Amino acid sequence: QDLSGKVVGFSQIGSESGWRAAETSVTKQQAEERGIDLKFADAQQKQENQIKAIRGFIAQGVDAILVAPVVATGWDDVLAEAKDAEIPVILLDRGVDAPEDLYLTSVASDQVKEGRVAGQWLVDTVGSEDCKVVELQGTVGSTPAINRKQGFEEAIAGHDNISIIRSQTGDFTRSKGKEVMEGFIKAENGGGDICAVYAHNDDMAVGAIQAIKDAGLKPGEDILVVSIDAVPDIFTAIAAGEANATVELTPNMAGPAFDVLAAYLADGTMPEKFIITESKLYTSADDPEGEYERRKGLGY
Amino acid sequence: MTETVYALEARGIVKIFGNHVALDNVDFGLRAGEVHALLGENGAGKSTLIKILTGAYQPDGGTVLADGEPVHLDNPQQAQTHGIGTVYQEVNLLPNRSVAENLFLGHQPTRFGLVNRRKMETDARGILKRYGLDIDPSSELGAHSVAVQQIVAIARAVELSGKVLILDEPTASLDRNEVERLFDIIRDLRAQGLAVVFITHFLDQVFAIADRVTILRNGKLVETRALDDMTRTDVVRLMLGKDITFSGATGVEDARPMGEVLLDFANYGRKRSVQPFNLTIHKGEVIGVAGLLGSGRTEMARIMFGADAADEGTLEIGGQPASIARPTDAISRGFGFCPEDRKAEGIFGDLSVRENIIIALQGKLGWFSALNRDEQMEIAGRFGEAMDIRAASLDMPIKLLSGGNQQKVILSRWLATDPAFLILDEPTRGIDVGAHAEIVRTINRLRDEGLALVVISSELDEVVAYSSRIVVMRDREMVAELSGENINPGVIVQAIANHREGPSA
Amino acid sequence: MRRILLRLANPQLIALVGVLLVNWLLFPNFFRVTWQDGRLFGSLIDVINRGAPVAILAIGMVGVIATKGVDLSVGAVMAMAGAVAATMVVAGYPAPVAVAAALAVGLACGLWNGFLVAVLDIQPIVATLVLMVAGRGIAQLITEGFIVTFTDPLLIFIGTGSFLGFPMAAVIAMALLLLVTLLVRRTAIGLFIEAVGINRAAASLAGIRSRMLLLLVYGLSGLCAAVAGIIVAGDIRGADANNAGLWLELDAILAVVIGGTSLLGGRFSVPLAVVGAIIIQAMNTGILVSGFPPEFNLIVKAALIFFVLVIQSPLASRIVPARVLNREACA
Amino acid sequence: MSRSLRPLLATAIIFAIAYALAVMQFPSMFSTRVLGNFLTDNAFLGITAVGMTFVILSGGIDLSVGAVIGFTGVLIAVLISWAGWHPLAAFALALAIAATFGGIMGLAIHYLQVPAFIVTLAGMFLARGGASVITQDSVPINHDFYGWISDLIIRLPGGGRLSFIGLLMVAVFILGALLAHRTRFGSYVYALGGNAVSASLMGVPVARTTVGVYMLSSVLAALAGIVFSLYTSAGYPLAAVGVELDAISAVVIGGTLLTGGYGFVLGTFIGVMLLGLVQTYIIFDGTLSSWWTKIVIGGLLFLFIVLQRLIFAASAQGEKAS
Ligand SMILES: Nc1ncnc2c1ncn2[C@@H]1O[C@H](COP(=O)(O)OP(=O)(O)OP(=O)(O)O)[C@@H](O)[C@H]1O
Ligand SMILES: Nc1ncnc2c1ncn2[C@@H]1O[C@H](COP(=O)(O)OP(=O)(O)OP(=O)(O)O)[C@@H](O)[C@H]1O
Ligand SMILES: [Mg+2]
Ligand SMILES: [Mg+2]
């Protein structure tokens, strides 16, 4: 059950957000604790680079490969090559559309569920009052944006008092989140018609909070704010009463991955095919200051 | 009177640029088997007429007829299919491609759909041989001198011309031998029944080769007639609309006292470019530079000006050692330089005539003491008048001016800096008789005002007319310095040709 | 007066008016501006506020493009400048020092580009590609991939404050526009930039120090990028090295070209480049308030660019009298 | 040696040196597996870069290629997986659409006289937007034909594989080189890039050539899109973002002048391989963080450019001396 001295390749998507940086640093930490020689390859957001990285790892003969796939499709061939070379592959934070025997396991959250948890919180919070929601989507076409939108819509389906009146992409970034929210506020009667904002990630929510304040409204009261990821900055906002809820996406996917890998390499124990991480909801009742302190060192 | 059927004809052509009428109801007819000279001052509209005849421009009125049938030429390619081959005024070839490809572009011999390069190069070698050029057809055209490029352009046009050959100032950068060879070829083509249009500012050449002549003035047709019954004076009078007197081409009187020494180049040279040379230049004298094409005259001029830095030898200015490593050094010492390749190194095509005139002065003044618009206007206006620059407005882009007028602008640019020493590289190339005389007059005037000048020119008569001394270049080496009665074409030619004669400096 | 009117009737302004009218049709309150909390408030204000960073980039970029160059690194330089300013204030340096350091970094980056182009004679697109790639990496190195959040009032004021009711970003852009316009038109620098862009060989023979000039324009571009970077960081109260200025170089180039400056160098106009930036932002804001689904954003943008280009093309000038479309560079 | 061959030689020498250095550090980089991967992994980039070479030779630029790759992938994935088309039919349609698309860009560039940079930027927005309008999901392709093609592999001793798409890229390079250097069209492209005015006065059909160049670029980008879909068995609207910059870098590193008129298709091949080498090296190293990856790529890019200039200058000296 000892992984020390093993060489593991890790193909990361890139560093497009604070959450991604945290995942990378947590993975490195976990590898270090276990004495693993981690080969890290950053794909700069490109699937082709990830495939190249995996091929490179195979050519070097690593002991195992971790991949955080940028997109669900397109992995069959390269995973088959890894299988040919008898190198176990573990998927991190997203699944892929490939035969299940091509990888050891997938450690991921359920993104649709994340959206659902956020939606459910809103349903529970507004009760039977009318609520017009504006949505800040992630990058058009990206998997989390599609899934988180779907989950949220599922949760509010059947609650006719809640409706999404505007939905635009904020590209997962703070500044676009702020800009889009400004536009929404202008378009919806100075923000008076907006009851809540749902952001596909916390960064956009933080931007939206600033836009709401600039418009002379109180985020968290005049307009409810719910988002996903649970990065440190959103806890500061929750503590200040400016954000209401966030759904956690843990950056520690590597920990469970290394655990099952150790078992597999030791005696061939096959793990569960899908290891789903928890999608925990945090609100002002969950000690936001404490959560902030716990997270801020993680490299978000 | 019987209607002649012309090989190529223009009827009632009108061309308007903005609000400037470049061609006003011009008729022009070309007979098969004649050499037809098209003459006129700079800006008279010669090149414009050519461009319309070959489809490069669309006329605003009038028609073009080939063999009596009206044709509509949308682009030069269509003209080529009518058997019209053209050399446009500025060398218009592709410096980035091989000589062979420039000759055959669009008509390359192919085999199985692929260009047959070997055949193309063999053919090219054969064609070039007729012009006395022994160069590698696969070499890049841009690596060759302007003259070589000019010959390639002519050869290309001749190859394309089944019926009509149009040459717009083809001889501007050719030497005598090359001109002779070109004329042989033209006579040949005429004998084969081609119609040849020939534009030039050298009247000798007109009389040497042309059968008929058409004269334009200010965009209007003056006259078309046979050359037999005309004299040079007639032609010039028709071109200018007035008489001018030729100043006899005699050497500068020896009696003139030499001014004090301004510049002293000692063992000045640059490796792989120009052999070290010695030259002392006095105030108030003109040094003419003669030599064959490619003999290194331009390179010597560039070194003097610091455009290429000298890597050996010393320079004294007014008795003080000085170093000139870049043009700004030279300019601050009162140097000026009119480069040979006007288009590539002289003009700023999109800038106005005004800005083109003041730019060197402004460069001398620096970034922060800008001339304001009124001052610019005043300076540009003064030189525009003095040099008789023909432009609809000083605010129009210089690229719209005719070649001769562009040259006057560049000369004005340097005169505006109030220079002590001017280097002129082929200042009269492509310039009409009137302007030519004017530039020669200007050179004389500047000398009398105490300037020192170095003038490079391929026209020996001209060099002789204004030079106090003449240096001769051969194979990138200064081989002779002539003065006094040695300043005559015969001696110069001998110096250029004679391999034995050592430098007499 | 007539001249001024004719100048106003240039294609850029026609395009701007067109885009604003379309916005107004899509969203009738587009032109409503109110006074709120001591500042102006409304979509029109958003346009100039959000357009400011690209306008500032364009102010720097226009000189570069006029010399026949292009600066792809401005987005990365923005990220670097923001990262420097943010980490410094977080580390306890006074804000003016942090701002000065960020500006110095921008200037240094610009001079580096200028050095590659002017001295090593490397093609601008490749020369600046180096910093475009590496610069963002350096920015991330500074922030270690975090979004560095700060609470420094001066930085936040630069990003979100207001002056006489106008957003600070727009005021800064305006000031830079004035400054740079004066710099290039009241001195000979503008003329020299054009000369170098049109014919560098001739410029050097005419005694223009083209190397110094190139260093100057690239330096200015870097400096402007740094200003934009500080504004963007101040706006979100944090330096987002991953995303700040991402792809903004394309917007800046687009703004300059819409402003009538040719990518082949030569004649340029700083104010029209700013108008170009405002046109782009007006499109973006229009898309936001119109409520189209986001997957259509890019298509709408493509269509609008096409519309603007057709208005400006020589074809249009054949239909509209040439006098009206006179493109003589102003200012 | 001809002047224009020099940058090509410089690039080739740099590639050889760089590869040798990399192999010294990681001997396993000298394996048929890595060499085979060079071809396969860079196939779509290489094919795109061939088209880009023509565009740049003609003095233009095409920013739309990455988006065209994305669009083509999505289109054929949707046609095959959802509409049940045969892949070959889908390919034909995609190529035809790309040809039209490129042709329209060429027409706009020529007749509206708008800079290529801007027209193709709008084209990029259009193609990328079009892709996400078709679908926002990534669409898997499970067709026997795809399986058949991905099984077309020549296995080399030492675990290496020559894949169909890798060989296709080589073929495109060879055809591209023939087109550029041995046909009239090719000479027109160089003419256009050398001097458009001269070219037109010399009778080059400027309009036709411009349209042809952009058509070619778009068609090759679409072919690259097909290759990308073979590579990943899927279509995804965000695929190949930023590939235009990679393609431009490859072309320029390969010694083609961005101002047009000078360069070689073969140089682009070496440029693509050089970029691939850098990435492979970084992967083998495996210690670089996300940001250091960027910094090192930028640094190596800088190094190559400067080296190229130095070799260029040195050989220019040598030539003058001889
Ligand atoms: N594209 C253009 N736009 C505006 N004006 C032009 C253009 N081309 C030529 N002109 C103007 O038309 C007139 C005729 O020019 P053209 O070049 O035909 O003269 P030319 O007789 O060939 O003179 P040169 O002997 O100097 O070559 C000139 O005044 C010139 O400024
Ligand atoms: N016979 C030749 N064939 C090809 N190129 C030549 C030849 N002779 C010289 N050259 C090149 O042509 C250029 C012309 O040289 P340069 O301009 O100094 O000579 P020049 O005497 O001024 O001739 P020109 O009258 O053409 O200006 C030089 O770069 C030289 O290398
Ligand atoms: Mg002419
Ligand atoms: Mg010369």
Side-chain angles (χ1 to χ4, degrees), chain B residues 264-301:
Chain B
D264 187 14
F265 296 94
N267 273 321
Y268 214 63
R270 179 178 160 90
K271 285 198 192 66
R272 297 191 209 98
S273 168
V274 172
Q275 302 286 329
F277 61 87
N278 291 297
L279 187 61
T280 308
I281 302 174
H282 304 84
K283 287 187 178 164
E285 75 171 340
V286 175
I287 313 271
V289 183
L292 291 177
L293 295 174
S295 57
R297 296 167 300 176
T298 297
E299 299 189 352
M300 178 173 87

Side-chain angles (χ1 to χ4, degrees), chain B residues 42-43 45-48 89 168-169 199 201 402-403:
Chain B
N42 292 135
K46 304 179 295 290
S47 299
T48 305
Q89 183 163 10
D168 192 350
E169 299 197 25
I199 299 178
H201 291 294
S402 70

Side-chain angles (χ1 to χ4, degrees), chain B residues 80 108 115 117 140 156, chain D residues 3 181-182 184 187 202 261:
Chain B
Q80 290 178 9
Q108 296 103 321
V115 172
R117 219 183 274 165
E140 221 172 75
R156 173 184 168 83
Chain D
R3 239 176 12 167
H181 308 308
R182 297 298 300 278
R184 285 194 188 156
S187 65
M202 285 173 82

